Amino acid sequence: MPFSRFAFFFALLFSTVGSVASGAAAERVAFIVGVDAYDHLPNDAQLRVAVSDAERIAKTLEGLDPAFEVTLLTDVEQDAAEDAFDEFLDRAKGAECVFLYFAGHGIEYFGTNYLLMRDTDIDAISSDVNRMKRRLGNEALSLQELVDSLDTTGAKVKLVVLDCCRDNPLEAASPAGTRSVVGGRSGLAQVTPPSGTLISYSADAGQKANDGLFTAVLAEEIESSGLPILRVFASTRQKVREISTAWAAEDAAKGLPVEYRRVRHEPAEYNKLDLSGLDFTFSRGSESQTEPEESLEMIALRQQVETMRATIESLREAGIENEALREQLTEMEASVAAAETRSRLSDPVVPEMTDMLGFITDRGMEGTRAGEVRSFGEIEMVWCPPTGENGFLMGSPKDEKGRESDELQRRVLLSKGFWLAKTECTQWQWGRVLERNPSSFYKGSDNLPVENVSWEGAQEWLAKMNQAHPLPEGWVWVLPTEAQWEYACRAGTESAFHFGDEEGELHKYGNFADRNFTGLAYGDDTQDDGVGNKTAEVSRYKANDWGLHDMHGNVLEWCSDWYGASPGAAERDPSGPESGTIRVLRGGCWYSLASHCRAAYRGRVRPTRRYGYVGFRPAVSFRP
């Protein structure tokens, strides 16, 4: 898993799929582990697709004929993983095939490989090698011990698949003052497989791996009827190498910063399969004991066609029509038809690999769950997923306290997810990008929100961000649309505030006109938010359920839309009127009544105006 893309889960998910009673032998068994969330690693070392990769492999193996009996563990802690593995070994005795798969962080420490579980604690790395090995042995799974345990089952075919980077960020100083191999350039070391075993890595020594690519290709190959096992892994290796090479070249040609580029990598296998292993096929189709007559290139093209069809169908079900992908599918189908008319495949069709397996260009930027946090341009951003086909309720019901006439409630569907800054743009973030101090009225801390910023000023800052921190094609730094803002503010709720309907709780969540407000007579003297007639530092107050702070109060936030009347009907991806004279502001401010801090409240002002209670919150959105 690459360490440039991360996710963080706040709850432990542990599930066992397709298990049977302990001690009952099975013909084909698999032990699948995926870990995204690490309790003792920093935010920038959380992963985002290890769990989904593990789930994909589990589903693939369960769907075969004959099927594997699968134990699936996700975001699992050390003790639970060891207990489940012991039960798995009982079922694996005498099996035809045992399959061990791990997606997550793996490290090497002085020649020993460890697979990190959710609760592995390696914050303080000791230079005492024996002590550190003992500690890691207690807090992580030893890869060599897992492999040796598989050997005791007597299974005919033993497969170990590791979708881990072999380039890791964890480093420790040795007594000699040099860096140990924890996080060293070599990453996970080669493990010598016992007889009858094949070990496969998603990347060769010292390489990173693109999120999801290896597992996606491997799953496709496993599902191909009749392919002998070595051909499965050889074909996987070839396709991953070709796809990732094309991706890396494409991103370099676009001039993307290194941290946003996809990388070239090549899987590696270490093989000691016996003859019975060489004959093993995942599916027992009509071709199970014979080499396929088609070339690997032709097989890859067929798989690309089927996967592209599935991708288009899934997008269509989500309400998204992608004409470019449909045109590409038509070209692929024409290539297949032309190849099938040849009597022999002496001139095989070599598919264009850049978008192999339906990896559309924006895939790597998408989050995996609401509230996932990533850092772009040194700004923490929160993932706001697509709404799904039912959309969300935008606006306010007629009986909501403080409701205004331009808040007509309707259902809104957002077909694409987006990233929204965890906090309002701070004065430090403003000055770092524009290389000048903000003209804010309220000073004293870099963590105060920038204010006294016009809509046009916010656009200047965003333009600089797009230059200094360019994103993958189609993704841009923007102001959120009004619909995106309200969707993110609500975080799945339908109440007046993201915390409920009781405005008497607002002081816990935002800076507004409370008892400390002395500018006018209308302050709410029943509440105390701890701040007077000024802005508060961002993140001072409680966040919403997705981890977004100050969505109620502090400063009003510019949206991208022109202000217009709320439509009464359902909408899809609204972006406001095409023209106008005033822009939308959302969220209320330190100057606002509680009712003007509600999720549905709509402020508006001319885009050239600047006030000491108006700022903005940047978004990263897909705008093709």
Side-chain angles (χ1 to χ4, degrees):
M1 293 286 120
F3 292 95
S4 57
R5 299 174 179 173
F6 320 107
F8 181 75
F9 287 175
F10 292 102
L12 171 65
L13 174 62
F14 178 95
S15 61
T16 301
V17 181
S19 60
V20 296
S22 177
E27 186 178 35
R28 296 179 172 202
V29 292
F31 188 79
I32 312 296
V33 180
V35 183
D36 278 337
Y38 288 89
D39 295 339
H40 300 288
L41 291 181
N43 286 340
D44 62 355
Q46 305 300 318
L47 300 178
R48 71 180 190 89
V49 299
V51 167
S52 59
D53 281 345
E55 291 171 341
R56 178 165 188 169
I57 284 292
K59 182 178 180 180
T60 297
L61 296 178
E62 289 178 317
L64 297 175
D65 180 19
F68 278 72
E69 292 177 351
V70 175
T71 298
L72 171 64
L73 310 179
T74 58
D75 285 338
V76 63
E77 294 185 346
Q78 173 73 11
D79 290 345
E82 290 185 348
D83 291 344
F85 188 69
D86 286 342
E87 294 178 4
F88 166 78
L89 290 176
D90 291 336
R91 295 201 310 278
K93 293 185 182 300
E96 177 194 19
C97 178
V98 293
F99 191 114
L100 171 64
Y101 174 94
F102 176 79
H105 282 318
I107 64 171
E108 179 194 2
Y109 186 77
F110 287 92
T112 303
N113 293 307
Y114 299 94
L115 307 180
L116 308 190
M117 298 296 105
R118 179 189 179 109
D119 58 341
T120 300
D121 185 359
I122 51 175
D123 291 337
I125 299 177
S126 171
S127 59
D128 184 328
V129 176
N130 291 331
R131 178 186 299 179
M132 193 63 199
K133 281 191 173 183
R134 184 173 64 253
R135 182 179 175 188
L136 283 168
N138 291 331
E139 297 184 349
L141 296 182
S142 165
L143 177 57
Q144 189 66 60
E145 290 180 6
L146 294 179
V147 172
D148 291 344
S149 296
L150 293 183
D151 195 38
T152 66
T153 65
K156 295 178 181 179
V157 179
K158 296 172 282 292
L159 304 176
V160 179
V161 177
L162 303 168
D163 198 348
C164 314
C165 280
R166 302 185 72 182
D167 168 303
N168 301 295
L170 304 169
E171 297 178 337
S174 73
T178 59
R179 295 189 185 281
S180 79
V181 292
V182 176
R185 293 179 180 177
S186 61
L188 282 181
Q190 174 182 342
V191 174
T192 301
S195 179
T197 304
L198 181 144
I199 300 178
S200 174
Y201 295 87
S202 62
D204 213 339
Q207 293 182 342
K208 294 183 179 180
N210 294 291
D211 274 342
L213 176 59
F214 169 75
T215 292
V217 176
L218 178 60
E220 292 287 334
E221 293 300 304
I222 288 174
E223 291 170 343
S224 298
S225 176
L227 286 177
I229 191 169
L230 288 184
R231 193 174 182 88
V232 167
F233 284 96
S235 183
T236 298
R237 181 173 3 100
Q238 174 180 318
K239 292 173 186 176
V240 170
R241 181 181 67 245
E242 291 173 338
I243 296 166
S244 63
T245 299
W247 281 356
E250 177 185 341
D251 289 353
K254 292 176 181 177
L256 292 180
V258 173
E259 64 268 26
Y260 294 124
R261 294 181 191 175
R262 294 165 291 185
V263 296
R264 180 192 183 280
H265 63 104
E266 180 174 6
E269 302 93 46
Y270 303 98
N271 171 35
K272 277 193 178 179
L273 289 175
D274 297 330
L275 289 176
S276 59
L278 297 180
D279 294 333
F280 177 82
T281 58
F282 284 102
S283 291
R284 295 172 182 168
S286 59
E287 301 174 315
S288 60
Q289 299 302 322
T290 61
E291 289 287 316
E293 297 180 357
E294 291 183 324
S295 68
L296 287 176
E297 289 82 8
M298 189 61 197
I299 294 169
L301 183 56
R302 289 188 187 281
Q303 292 168 346
Q304 187 181 7
V305 168
E306 292 306 313
T307 307
M308 185 65 75
R309 284 178 182 151
T311 299
I312 292 172
E313 179 62 22
S314 64
L315 290 173
R316 187 192 64 77
E317 290 176 355
I320 303 171
E321 297 294 336
N322 193 314
E323 190 60 34
L325 289 183
R326 290 189 179 279
E327 291 177 358
Q328 186 177 353
L329 175 61
T330 300
E331 294 175 0
M332 293 179 193
E333 291 172 332
S335 296
V336 171
E340 287 175 339
T341 63
R342 299 172 184 161
S343 58
R344 300 184 65 179
L345 295 175
S346 58
D347 182 23
V349 176
V350 179
E352 175 61 44
M353 292 293 184
T354 302
D355 292 311
M356 181 72 166
L357 300 175
F359 280 76
I360 55 180
T361 56
D362 62 330
R363 179 186 186 277
M365 284 288 293
E366 294 173 347
T368 58
R369 64 172 183 85
E372 176 185 342
V373 177
R374 287 196 224 166
S375 180
F376 300 114
E378 300 184 57
I379 296 177
E380 284 194 313
M381 308 293 287
V382 174
W383 177 245
C384 306
T387 60
E389 61 183 10
N390 292 325
F392 81 103
L393 278 177
M394 184 173 178
S396 59
K398 294 180 179 179
D399 60 350
E400 185 170 292
K401 182 181 177 181
R403 182 181 192 266
E404 301 198 358
S405 61
D406 62 352
E407 301 172 12
L408 295 181
Q409 194 171 44
R410 70 277 189 196
R411 196 158 289 279
V412 172
L413 184 149
L414 299 179
S415 63
K416 288 185 177 293
F418 58 96
W419 298 91
L420 190 64
K422 192 173 184 178
T423 70
E424 295 151 333
C425 180
T426 67
Q427 295 184 22
W428 178 83
Q429 291 166 347
W430 172 275
R432 180 179 63 87
V433 173
L434 293 182
E435 298 182 349
R436 66 172 186 264
N437 293 328
S439 57
S440 298
F441 290 120
Y442 306 103
K443 307 285 188 180
S445 170
D446 286 342
N447 285 326
L448 287 170
V450 67
E451 26 76 20
N452 197 31
V453 175
S454 67
W455 187 92
E456 293 172 347
Q459 295 299 320
E460 180 188 6
W461 186 91
L462 292 163
K464 288 287 187 181
M465 284 296 288
N466 280 308
Q467 293 174 6
H469 302 282
L471 301 163
E473 183 176 357
W475 291 85
V476 288
W477 292 92
V478 291
L479 291 175
T481 65
E482 187 178 9
Q484 287 176 328
W485 190 97
E486 184 171 332
Y487 172 59
C489 175
R490 292 186 176 282
T493 66
E494 296 181 1
S495 48
F497 305 92
H498 61 64
F499 54 83
D501 290 315
E502 181 51 62
E503 66 179 36
E505 295 293 302
L506 182 57
H507 64 282
K508 301 176 183 178
Y509 297 89
N511 175 20
F512 71 110
D514 67 335
R515 67 172 58 178
N516 301 299
F517 181 79
T518 59
L520 295 173
Y522 62 74
D524 183 348
D525 61 7
T526 67
Q527 298 194 64
D528 184 354
D529 61 27
V531 179
N533 297 9
K534 61 182 180 179
T535 56
E537 288 191 343
V538 299
S539 301
R540 175 188 175 104
Y541 303 98
K542 291 182 179 181
N544 70 6
D545 287 346
W546 290 356
L548 294 159
H549 290 269
D550 301 303
M551 299 301 287
H552 301 307
N554 216 17
V555 292
L556 281 155
E557 300 175 15
W558 288 110
C559 292
S560 62
D561 310 44
W562 290 108
Y563 176 80
S566 300
E571 296 180 282
R572 175 189 174 86
D573 296 321
S575 57
E578 293 184 2
S579 60
T581 59
I582 51 179
R583 296 282 185 179
V584 175
L585 293 164
R586 285 302 201 112
C589 65
W590 60 267
Y591 195 92
S592 298
L593 290 167
S595 63
H596 288 180
C597 296
R598 292 175 299 109
Y601 176 75
R602 307 175 70 205
R604 59 268 194 189
V605 73
R606 293 186 181 277
T608 56
R609 298 290 177 86
R610 300 189 303 168
Y611 298 97
Y613 47 82
V614 174
F616 69 99
R617 182 187 304 258
V620 167
S621 186
F622 188 72
R623 303 280 176 89

